Amino acid sequence: MPLPPGCTQPMAVQTARWMARPTTFLRECHDRFGDDFSVNMAIFGKAVFVSDPENIKAVFTASPEALGPGTGNAMLMPLLGRHSLILLDRQPHRRERRLLTPPFHGERMRAYAQVIHESTQTTCAAWPLGQAMNLTPELQNISLDVILSAVFGVADLGRRAAARRPVVALLEGLNPLTLYVPFLQQSFGPWAKTMAERRAVHALVDEEIHDRRERGLDGRSDILSLMMAARYEDGAEMSDEALRDEMMTMLIAGHETSTTSLSWAVWELMDNPDAAERLSAELDALGGDAGPEALERLPYLDAVCRETLRLHPVLPLVSRITRAELPLRGFTVPANVGVFPCIWLAHRREEVFPEPERFRPERFLERTYSPFEWLPFGGGARRCIGMAFALYEMKLVLGALFRRFHFKKADDKTPQTRRKHITIAPSGGVRAVLAARGGPHV
Ligand code: HEM
């Protein structure tokens, strides 16, 4: 069977539409062509977009020998470095994942609860009450602070604040078009600025690696130290270059994603006062001395996080490339074609999520969804390595904020979903007016 139908507009037009309004583009294609469709895009070439859970399953369960990381991942190389997990393939990818997975799970992950607690409380202590504020940059301070302390273990707040600057400058200054169009990667103009900012972040990472090489790793539980102590099956350690590229990956993949998800969660709770009330009641019932493990287990808080990630996935799709023919329901994708499981469309399937545009956390209490229906962290062998960590952080931060404050919309403007650097995010951030709730500050 031939590939599913799709846009016939010139490649440049399709690419421009995708770049300008990714979610509108997906919705329009879906309305015209159905669950699966083809698109011709600059850099990616011919690509097949799938949102039928059966086809998503076929992609996520295909052998890594049959599917490689998509061109979308390769685009990130100048930013992250060639050793980044996001870019590795086959055996080197498997080997690196085995090494990097433990710090993001179980007890090791829970060791970051204190850092998440401190960063949230320190940041929100300075928030004004009764006046409009943009919460998104503040939530970014929390997420970045959390990731900096988790990966570098820097205890000193001042040093962490100084370390935030180059990372924010790198991301804020990044024009996503320069990643998509290699021709724009010149030694002058915006790309030269991005590269200078990347050098500043490299310097920060190199300093931390050097510090550990000098003083040793004893008593350190941060992610960089765990990576430096870890050994591949053959006993080899990670090279400094690989350490640096993975640190860049964690810093970039691990904070804008959390910032965006937290921003949308607060927005949805302000827009749905019944849900906010139910969450506050659940938090109040916890009692004053409840710790992070109690917050982590709260069912409604968990459902709020999952529903936020359903309605507002930070990546609209994930990207793979076929190495051999890939049979899917209704058609076969030839070798060397991009295949994109569309998170954004899969999360809006009426038969899976009735009233899909409605924010209704209860749906996650009523049933469980398969990993091919709810997939904000992608799936298969390349599923987000930070998934458990991100959900944990989201619950702890959101729980702490809703214990401490009542949030009201600052105006009637609904934030629009727009491309922001690598992710899609609420345009202009989320604005709110805060009132104290007087609850215990977990
Ligand atoms: C709400 C927060 C987050 C969301 C929604 C998210 C989402 C994603 C998605 C969709 C992918 C692509 C998966 C695929 O291709 O199937 C991904 C990959 C990845 N994420 Fe996350 N992420 C989040 C937080 C984090 C955090 C906190 C970290 C680490 C500190 C992280 C590190 C990574 C890495 C290293 C990969 C590449 C995995 C691989 O290729 O094997 N992410 N993430």
Side-chain angles (χ1 to χ4, degrees), residues 174-233:
L174 178 68
N175 177 347
L177 202 61
T178 56
L179 289 176
Y180 278 82
V181 186
F183 170 71
L184 298 176
Q185 294 172 8
Q186 302 288 349
S187 55
F188 52 86
W191 186 250
K193 193 162 169 281
T194 296
M195 288 299 101
E197 277 147 2
R198 190 192 68 161
R199 280 194 295 278
V201 184
H202 277 178
L204 186 79
V205 177
D206 289 346
E207 200 186 316
E208 291 292 334
I209 297 174
H210 181 72
D211 184 59
R212 282 161 185 74
R213 293 250 184 262
E214 292 261 289
R215 298 184 202 207
L217 304 172
D218 276 358
R220 305 203 67 135
S221 60
D222 55 88
I223 292 170
L224 175 57
S225 301
L226 296 175
M227 283 183 192
M228 290 177 73
R231 295 289 176 269
Y232 297 109
E233 290 90 339

Side-chain angles (χ1 to χ4, degrees), residues 60 73 85-87 93 97 104 147 151 223 246 249-250 253-255 257-258 261 309 314-315 317-320 343 375-387 389-391 393-394:
F60 283 165
N73 299 30
L85 185 66
I86 290 179
L87 301 161
H93 180 255
R97 264 195 89 107
F104 293 106
I147 200 72
V151 298
I223 292 170
E246 295 305 7
T249 305
M250 305 300 161
H255 97 272
T257 44
S258 300
S261 307
L309 290 162
V314 296
L315 292 182
L317 50 78
V318 293
S319 122
R320 304 284 188 271
I343 305 175
L375 47 138
F377 296 97
R382 311 198 73 91
R383 193 181 73 181
C384 175
I385 202 166
M387 173 174 163
F389 181 89
L391 279 171
E393 176 187 357
M394 209 176 158

